Amino acid sequence: MSSKPSVLFVCVHNAGRSQMAAAFLTSLAGDQIDVRSAGSAPAETVNPAAVEAMAELGIDMSTEVPKILTTDAVAASDVVITMGCGDECPFFPGKRYEDWKLEDPAGQGVDAVRPIRDDIKRRIEALIASLVPASF
C-alpha cells in the first residue's frame, strides 16, 4: 500500500474548478501526491477559459477530459475536495472532506476565470503543506 496521500477533486461538470485544482496539485506536488478529479455530471469538454487561464501559468490542461465520479475513485482517495456540488456529491465515511466555496467558471471568459484560478492555487499550496511534510 502506498504511503503517498491521494486527493480527489469533485465538481459537477469536472470541466473547470476541479480540473484546475488537479492540474495545480500535479504541477506543484509532482509525484508526492496521487491526484484525481471527477464530476457527478461531467461535461463533454474542459472549459476553454480554464485551459487558457492555466496555460498562462505554463500548465497545459488541453488534453484533459471530464470524468464521471465513481465510488472507486472516492474509495481510493484519502482527501475528497468538493467544489460547489451541493447535494450532487455523495459522502463516503472515513475520508477527509473539504468543501471549497469557489465561483463557477462555466460560461465565463478568461478574465473572470483568473481570480478563481489564483484562489485555487492558494488553496492547493495550503493543501500540499498539510499533506506532505516539509523536506529538510
mmCIF file with all atom_site columns, all heavy atoms in Angstrom, residues 2 18 57 67:
data_model
loop_
_atom_site.group_PDB
_atom_site.id
_atom_site.type_symbol
_atom_site.label_atom_id
_atom_site.label_alt_id
_atom_site.label_comp_id
_atom_site.label_asym_id
_atom_site.label_entity_id
_atom_site.label_seq_id
_atom_site.pdbx_PDB_ins_code
_atom_site.Cartn_x
_atom_site.Cartn_y
_atom_site.Cartn_z
_atom_site.occupancy
_atom_site.B_iso_or_equiv
_atom_site.pdbx_formal_charge
_atom_site.auth_seq_id
_atom_site.auth_comp_id
_atom_site.auth_asym_id
_atom_site.auth_atom_id
_atom_site.pdbx_PDB_model_num
ATOM 1  N N   . SER A 1 2  ? 0.543   2.206  -0.785  1.00 0.00 ? 2  SER A N   1
ATOM 2  C CA  . SER A 1 2  ? 1.335   3.419  -0.923  1.00 0.00 ? 2  SER A CA  1
ATOM 3  C C   . SER A 1 2  ? 1.182   4.315  0.299   1.00 0.00 ? 2  SER A C   1
ATOM 4  O O   . SER A 1 2  ? 0.102   4.457  0.850   1.00 0.00 ? 2  SER A O   1
ATOM 5  C CB  . SER A 1 2  ? 0.882   4.169  -2.177  1.00 0.00 ? 2  SER A CB  1
ATOM 6  O OG  . SER A 1 2  ? 1.517   5.420  -2.251  1.00 0.00 ? 2  SER A OG  1
ATOM 7  N N   . SER A 1 18 ? -12.421 21.744 -10.666 1.00 0.00 ? 18 SER A N   1
ATOM 8  C CA  . SER A 1 18 ? -11.740 20.507 -10.274 1.00 0.00 ? 18 SER A CA  1
ATOM 9  C C   . SER A 1 18 ? -10.575 20.191 -11.203 1.00 0.00 ? 18 SER A C   1
ATOM 10 O O   . SER A 1 18 ? -9.546  19.666 -10.769 1.00 0.00 ? 18 SER A O   1
ATOM 11 C CB  . SER A 1 18 ? -12.719 19.337 -10.217 1.00 0.00 ? 18 SER A CB  1
ATOM 12 O OG  . SER A 1 18 ? -13.365 19.152 -11.463 1.00 0.00 ? 18 SER A OG  1
ATOM 13 N N   . LEU A 1 57 ? -0.015  30.235 -16.954 1.00 0.00 ? 57 LEU A N   1
ATOM 14 C CA  . LEU A 1 57 ? 0.943   29.914 -15.888 1.00 0.00 ? 57 LEU A CA  1
ATOM 15 C C   . LEU A 1 57 ? 1.829   28.731 -16.267 1.00 0.00 ? 57 LEU A C   1
ATOM 16 O O   . LEU A 1 57 ? 2.535   28.170 -15.426 1.00 0.00 ? 57 LEU A O   1
ATOM 17 C CB  . LEU A 1 57 ? 0.199   29.601 -14.583 1.00 0.00 ? 57 LEU A CB  1
ATOM 18 C CG  . LEU A 1 57 ? -0.667  30.723 -14.033 1.00 0.00 ? 57 LEU A CG  1
ATOM 19 C CD1 . LEU A 1 57 ? -1.326  30.294 -12.725 1.00 0.00 ? 57 LEU A CD1 1
ATOM 20 C CD2 . LEU A 1 57 ? 0.151   31.997 -13.822 1.00 0.00 ? 57 LEU A CD2 1
ATOM 21 N N   . LYS A 1 67 ? -14.361 13.486 -16.285 1.00 0.00 ? 67 LYS A N   1
ATOM 22 C CA  . LYS A 1 67 ? -14.595 12.099 -15.903 1.00 0.00 ? 67 LYS A CA  1
ATOM 23 C C   . LYS A 1 67 ? -15.763 12.006 -14.927 1.00 0.00 ? 67 LYS A C   1
ATOM 24 O O   . LYS A 1 67 ? -15.985 12.916 -14.143 1.00 0.00 ? 67 LYS A O   1
ATOM 25 C CB  . LYS A 1 67 ? -13.335 11.515 -15.252 1.00 0.00 ? 67 LYS A CB  1
ATOM 26 C CG  . LYS A 1 67 ? -12.142 11.444 -16.200 1.00 0.00 ? 67 LYS A CG  1
ATOM 27 C CD  . LYS A 1 67 ? -10.838 11.210 -15.491 1.00 0.00 ? 67 LYS A CD  1
ATOM 28 C CE  . LYS A 1 67 ? -10.132 12.416 -14.943 1.00 0.00 ? 67 LYS A CE  1
ATOM 29 N NZ  . LYS A 1 67 ? -9.952  13.588 -15.742 1.00 0.00 ? 67 LYS A NZ  1
#
